[in-house]
Amino acid sequence: MQYRTLGRTGVQVSSLGLGAMNFGTMGRTTQDEATAIVDAALEAGINLIDTADVYSTGESEEMVGKAIAGRRDDIVLATKAGLPMGDERNHRGSSRRWLVTELDNSLRRLGVDHVDLYQIHRWDPSTSDEETLSALTDLQRAGKIRHFGSSTFPAHRIVQAQWAAREHHLGRYVTEQPSYSILQRGIETHVLPMTEQYGLGVLVWSPLASGWLSGAIREGRSIATSRSTFMPQRFDTSVPANRAKLDAVEQLAEVADEAGLTMIQLALGFVTAHPAVTSALIGPRTLDHLHSQLAAADTVLSADVLDAIDTIVAPGVDLAAHEKNDTPPALLDLALRRR
């Protein structure tokens, strides 16, 4: 396992991190399975575990807490807040009111007195950067969080938050957690240059593109992955963007075969090759999934392989741009751009 410094924090994290989104009802992973996955991940050298309050409505945090009991100090523990935690309109977002309350909820579920990294799950357009950063700075000073970061922020919001921190003399985001894979390379255009400019650590989510790059999805096979059961529209190959992904997968499979790599090794080796990326978050549902992904821990792609990937999906291109989670609200809601 390789280790890299998380931005300018001085904290060393593994180049593969364990994402816990599948722990609980969302991924149907039981506590015993989750504990076994954590055990195996730590044994393999992973020291970063990332979860969120919204994953199975708190169940993931509870399961992570039980799995790491007795070895908390050996783990860089990250969680997130901001996505809706129910129907109550104030149980979401990045206001001081919610973050102060929800961090305590997360600490209780995790069974710890602090987290190493607290991340704002999505940019909240209804809350000012000063409000959010002020709350996070106070929580940091109180010792409840060591560092804080953003997740899936568009580039201009990353820049604005850095300037707001400087202008108001507040703590700043030290990490960004974007979606990044061979099939979704849009962040190479603006987001990654900004993280490098401001020295942010980058924790990549969905490096296997929701299973498209796992090797399980190929031409002529029925798609029966876990993700396809609750997001069927993203796997319907009659949709042009999904067809483009499948065509790319077939070409990438040839590249992997010629290089003597699995698709997973190709996919994870690609994202960790980018100089701006600190760690790729893998989200196994089972031990078998974990072991197949750990096999990519030390994969280093040659220049020829990276060039071949570029000919299939060009740098900075998203094959399914509509699946991005950082689209400005005005492009999603007609009411916000109509008078």
Side-chain angles (χ1 to χ4, degrees):
M1 184 66 65
Q2 304 170 36
Y3 297 88
R4 300 169 178 178
T5 304
L6 187 61
R8 295 174 179 167
T9 67
V11 176
Q12 297 290 303
V13 296
S14 47
S15 57
L16 295 183
L18 179 62
M21 187 179 75
N22 281 316
F23 291 4
T25 55
M26 181 179 291
R28 305 188 304 279
T29 301
T30 67
Q31 180 65 61
D32 286 345
E33 291 170 327
T35 300
I37 289 171
V38 170
D39 289 344
L42 297 181
E43 179 66 23
I46 286 178
N47 73 340
L48 169 65
I49 299 179
D50 177 81
T51 184
D53 58 352
V54 75
Y55 296 162
S56 297
T57 321
E59 190 178 7
S60 172
E61 288 182 323
E62 292 175 353
M63 295 171 77
V64 167
K66 292 175 182 177
I68 67 172
R71 46 190 174 182
R72 164 68 182 90
D73 292 340
D74 298 329
I75 295 164
V76 178
L77 182 61
T79 193
K80 300 182 283 294
L83 293 181
M85 285 291 285
D87 295 331
E88 165 55 45
R89 66 187 61 199
N90 286 315
H91 289 187
R92 66 191 69 191
S94 58
S95 68
R96 172 181 288 272
R97 181 180 189 273
W98 178 236
L99 292 179
V100 169
T101 298
E102 187 60 356
L103 176 59
D104 283 341
N105 291 337
S106 288
L107 294 177
R108 171 180 49 79
R109 289 188 290 259
L110 288 162
V112 299
D113 62 3
H114 74 280
V115 293
D116 297 294
L117 180 64
Y118 197 50
Q119 301 155 102
I120 303 302
H121 213 150
R122 295 288 186 273
W123 169 54
D124 174 10
S126 65
T127 305
S128 70
D129 290 308
E130 181 184 4
E131 163 90 358
T132 301
L133 293 171
S134 175
L136 292 170
T137 300
D138 287 346
L139 292 170
Q140 185 180 50
R141 289 171 178 165
K144 294 184 177 184
I145 59 178
R146 296 294 185 255
H147 302 284
F148 48 89
S150 57
S151 176
T152 321
F153 274 32
H156 70 283
R157 296 311 314 176
I158 293 173
V159 174
Q160 179 59 32
Q162 294 292 316
W163 277 99
R166 179 180 299 182
E167 180 178 359
H168 299 290
H169 306 288
L170 299 168
R172 70 186 189 97
Y173 295 129
V174 298
T175 60
E176 163 60 13
Q177 186 178 138
S179 172
Y180 183 43
S181 72
I182 295 175
L183 303 182
Q184 296 285 80
R185 301 184 61 175
I187 66 167
E188 294 172 347
T189 304
H190 300 297
V191 171
L192 293 183
M194 287 303 94
T195 63
E196 290 184 294
Q197 173 72 29
Y198 290 102
L200 305 185
V202 175
L203 309 176
V204 171
W205 62 270
S206 200
L208 299 182
S210 298
W212 279 94
L213 299 173
S214 68
I217 299 176
R218 295 294 302 274
E219 185 73 70
R221 297 181 192 172
S222 60
I223 300 177
T225 63
S226 174
R227 194 66 61 88
S228 67
T229 61
F230 62 90
M231 301 174 69
Q233 71 281 4
R234 294 199 177 188
F235 297 87
D236 180 354
T237 54
S238 68
V239 175
N242 295 335
R243 183 69 244 178
K245 287 191 286 187
L246 185 57
D247 290 343
V249 165
E250 288 300 303
Q251 297 176 67
L252 291 167
E254 293 182 9
V255 173
D257 287 342
E258 291 176 3
L261 301 169
T262 66
M263 283 290 286
I264 290 174
Q265 288 175 313
L266 186 77
L268 295 180
F270 169 81
V271 296
T272 56
H274 197 291
V277 172
T278 311
S279 184
L281 298 174
I282 56 176
R285 285 194 309 110
T286 67
L287 266 177
D288 286 343
H289 289 167
L290 174 66
H291 289 310
S292 67
Q293 293 163 23
L294 286 174
D298 296 317
T299 299
V300 177
L301 302 185
S302 68
D304 288 345
V305 170
L306 291 170
D307 289 344
I309 291 172
D310 288 347
T311 65
I312 297 168
V313 182
V317 170
D318 289 317
L319 293 188
H322 64 286
E323 295 178 5
K324 298 286 285 184
N325 288 273
D326 61 357
T327 303
L331 298 184
L332 300 175
D333 184 351
L334 291 174
L336 296 176
R337 63 178 189 270
R338 305 280 192 231
R339 288 188 296 170

